[in-house]
Amino acid sequence: MALMGRKIVAIRAYVVEGGGADYHDQGEEHWIVQQIATPMSIYPEYKATRTSFGINALKTLVVEVEADNGVTGFGITTGGYPAAWLVMNHLDRFVVGKDAHKIEETWDQMYRASLYYGRKGIVMNAISAIDLAMWDLLGKLREEPVYAMLGGVVRKELQFYATGPRPDLAKDMGFVGGKIPLVYGPADGPDGLKKSIELAADMREKCGPDFRLMWDCWMSLDLQYAKRLMQASADLGFHWIEECFNPDDYWAYRDLKKAAGNKIMVTGGEHEASKFGFRMLIEDCDLDVIQPDVGWCGGMTELVKIGNLAEAHGKYLIPHGSGAYSYHYVATKTNSPITELLMQSPKADTVVPQYYPLLKDEVMPVNGRLDVEKAYEGKFGFGVELNKDKSLIEIKKGVGLGVC
């Protein structure tokens, strides 16, 4: 199939409600929206559930790009209606009419053109979705999976850890580790800290000494509280403590890492974006593991650069969630020893596809492992397909946010 000169003739943006990339868009019975320590936990009215402060407000963004031969690629992330509007009313001009292989140029133009209001957050989510869609399209045009375009796999299979409230169940399902969402933060005082340490001790006893256990603190802690939790968890053999602070508080990360010693790793970066933000986490904060989300940090184009920077500094890169998009990347990198699966079942007791129900026949790990070459054999791009039965709300060019 001829590739050079193949033009992108259309870009489309959709919003999806109820699951998908916005994995917090769940019912109130789901563990992921129940009480978990957050930056809003200091306010009693926003503590009991994460949906109370609108964690599921944005919804899923789907971006589709189409080549002049009718082949399409798509990328998904969060950002919903605001991000879809940006795609169709600003960023589209850098995509339509572009040669399909000019991913780097497209990324650079989108990033530079949005610097005055972007750099992180919803704008970078929108750029990420477009970038992923272009990688998906290019793979389909070349008839190659993305992992092949990234240089090919370096390991036979991926090994997964599970994020959810029941790492003991995750161990039984074959995962190599379990990351526990922290329930109690500084607003809960010494009693809350005691409950967290008791839970950590209970899970260590249930999971045994060799199973990786980690904390997911979701931006909810202050430095002194994080130090106390970290020390107690290190004594219990926890593998790492993750994303303790406001993502812009690089100084707290730096000081926590200095206090960590060699018994436990300090990690973060889920809500960071671009190589410049990760340079701070790597060089100034000296984090052991950086955790970019490929749907938020700038897409595959930027993830590759972030990963190279991490590797040059001897750091691990273990992406946050992001399903198939992460699988293709992790399979090609020696400094990505494990990868994450967010437990999407309401009680974290079964394995559910990462983007359920948005994708059809989505690949999942079996017994905590995945052979990427085998899983995506005969598939091109990211090897995922939209579930057309899922309602896709198209956002048209020129249409205001309030009129869909």
Side-chain angles (χ1 to χ4, degrees), residues 54-98:
I55 196 171
N56 60 336
L58 285 177
K59 313 304 179 186
T60 294
L61 169 70
V62 178
V63 172
E64 189 175 47
V65 292
E66 181 180 347
D68 54 11
N69 63 346
V71 176
T72 62
F74 72 92
I76 56 179
T77 185
T78 52
Y81 295 98
W85 191 92
L86 288 170
V87 169
M88 296 308 300
N89 291 278
H90 186 193
L91 303 177
D92 60 324
R93 73 192 68 196
F94 308 111
V95 180
V96 176
K98 189 70 64 70

Side-chain angles (χ1 to χ4, degrees), residues 77-135:
T77 185
T78 52
Y81 295 98
W85 191 92
L86 288 170
V87 169
M88 296 308 300
N89 291 278
H90 186 193
L91 303 177
D92 60 324
R93 73 192 68 196
F94 308 111
V95 180
V96 176
K98 189 70 64 70
D99 285 355
H101 69 280
K102 289 194 172 183
I103 297 177
E104 179 69 33
E105 180 182 272
T106 301
W107 194 99
D108 193 56
Q109 290 176 351
M110 291 190 294
Y111 181 73
R112 289 173 180 269
S114 60
L115 272 173
Y116 68 101
Y117 69 92
R119 305 191 307 278
K120 297 184 181 183
I122 286 176
V123 179
M124 193 59 86
N125 288 13
I127 290 174
S128 299
I130 294 172
D131 183 76
L132 293 173
M134 292 188 68
W135 277 90

Side-chain angles (χ1 to χ4, degrees), residues 12 38 61 76 95 125 148 155 176 216 233 249 254 322:
R12 292 177 285 272
T38 77
L61 169 70
I76 56 179
V95 180
N125 288 13
R155 55 175 57 85
V176 299
D216 185 351
S233 303
D249 192 352
R254 177 199 62 195
S322 39

Side-chain angles (χ1 to χ4, degrees), residues 132-148:
L132 293 173
M134 292 188 68
W135 277 90
D136 192 45
L137 173 63
L138 186 62
K140 290 172 181 175
L141 292 173
R142 288 183 171 179
E143 298 186 345
E144 287 186 298
V146 169
Y147 71 74

Side-chain angles (χ1 to χ4, degrees), residues 359-377:
L359 299 183
K360 185 167 63 175
D361 299 325
E362 186 177 352
V363 168
M364 295 185 297
V366 177
N367 296 323
R369 286 163 170 75
L370 179 69
D371 184 325
V372 170
E373 288 183 308
K374 184 177 180 180
Y376 294 106
E377 184 177 3

Side-chain angles (χ1 to χ4, degrees), residues 16 33 38 40 94 98 105 162 201 215 275 368 387:
V16 178
V33 300
T38 77
M40 293 294 287
F94 308 111
K98 189 70 64 70
E105 180 182 272
W215 280 121
K275 55 188 161 292
N387 181 3

Side-chain angles (χ1 to χ4, degrees), residues 51-322:
T51 49
S52 66
F53 67 83
I55 196 171
N56 60 336
L58 285 177
K59 313 304 179 186
T60 294
L61 169 70
V62 178
V63 172
E64 189 175 47
V65 292
E66 181 180 347
D68 54 11
N69 63 346
V71 176
T72 62
F74 72 92
I76 56 179
T77 185
T78 52
Y81 295 98
W85 191 92
L86 288 170
V87 169
M88 296 308 300
N89 291 278
H90 186 193
L91 303 177
D92 60 324
R93 73 192 68 196
F94 308 111
V95 180
V96 176
K98 189 70 64 70
D99 285 355
H101 69 280
K102 289 194 172 183
I103 297 177
E104 179 69 33
E105 180 182 272
T106 301
W107 194 99
D108 193 56
Q109 290 176 351
M110 291 190 294
Y111 181 73
R112 289 173 180 269
S114 60
L115 272 173
Y116 68 101
Y117 69 92
R119 305 191 307 278
K120 297 184 181 183
I122 286 176
V123 179
M124 193 59 86
N125 288 13
I127 290 174
S128 299
I130 294 172
D131 183 76
L132 293 173
M134 292 188 68
W135 277 90
D136 192 45
L137 173 63
L138 186 62
K140 290 172 181 175
L141 292 173
R142 288 183 171 179
E143 298 186 345
E144 287 186 298
V146 169
Y147 71 74
M149 296 194 293
L150 291 173
V153 302
V154 297
R155 55 175 57 85
K156 172 63 178 174
E157 62 181 12
L158 306 187
Q159 296 187 355
F160 287 76
Y161 74 86
T163 294
R166 295 296 305 272
D168 53 331
L169 298 183
K171 181 183 180 183
D172 293 340
M173 288 183 257
F175 290 92
V176 299
K179 188 170 71 185
I180 310 168
L182 185 70
V183 175
Y184 305 104
D188 298 296
D191 288 343
L193 181 60
K194 181 181 178 182
K195 289 178 182 178
S196 295
I197 295 169
E198 288 173 348
L199 173 62
D202 179 55
M203 286 301 167
R204 173 53 70 205
E205 182 177 355
K206 288 178 177 177
C207 295
D210 299 324
F211 188 71
R212 296 180 178 95
L213 288 173
M214 301 84 93
W215 280 121
D216 185 351
C217 302
W218 213 76
M219 307 176 284
S220 64
L221 305 185
D222 57 47
L223 181 58
Q224 295 309 315
Y225 192 97
K227 284 181 177 179
R228 291 194 291 271
L229 177 64
M230 179 180 69
Q231 182 59 59
S233 303
D235 292 342
L236 291 167
F238 266 52
H239 197 53
W240 73 53
I241 185 168
E242 175 180 321
E243 202 188 23
C244 293
F245 310 116
N246 178 327
D248 294 323
D249 192 352
Y250 302 110
W251 304 271
Y253 277 111
R254 177 199 62 195
D255 292 346
L256 186 66
K257 170 57 182 170
K258 287 181 179 178
N262 296 318
K263 292 181 67 177
I264 189 171
M265 294 192 292
V266 178
T267 76
E270 170 184 335
H271 292 102
E272 188 57 84
S274 87
K275 55 188 161 292
F276 302 109
F278 281 95
R279 181 179 177 183
M280 287 289 293
L281 292 179
I282 293 168
E283 296 184 357
D284 289 38
C285 305
D286 194 30
L287 294 192
D288 299 289
V289 182
I290 58 169
Q291 298 164 302
D293 188 300
V294 70
W296 305 344
C297 73
M300 186 62 71
T301 298
E302 195 71 349
L303 180 62
V304 169
K305 296 173 184 177
I306 294 166
N308 290 341
L309 182 65
E311 186 175 25
H313 286 80
K315 306 296 185 182
Y316 291 130
L317 190 152
I318 300 175
H320 170 259
S322 39

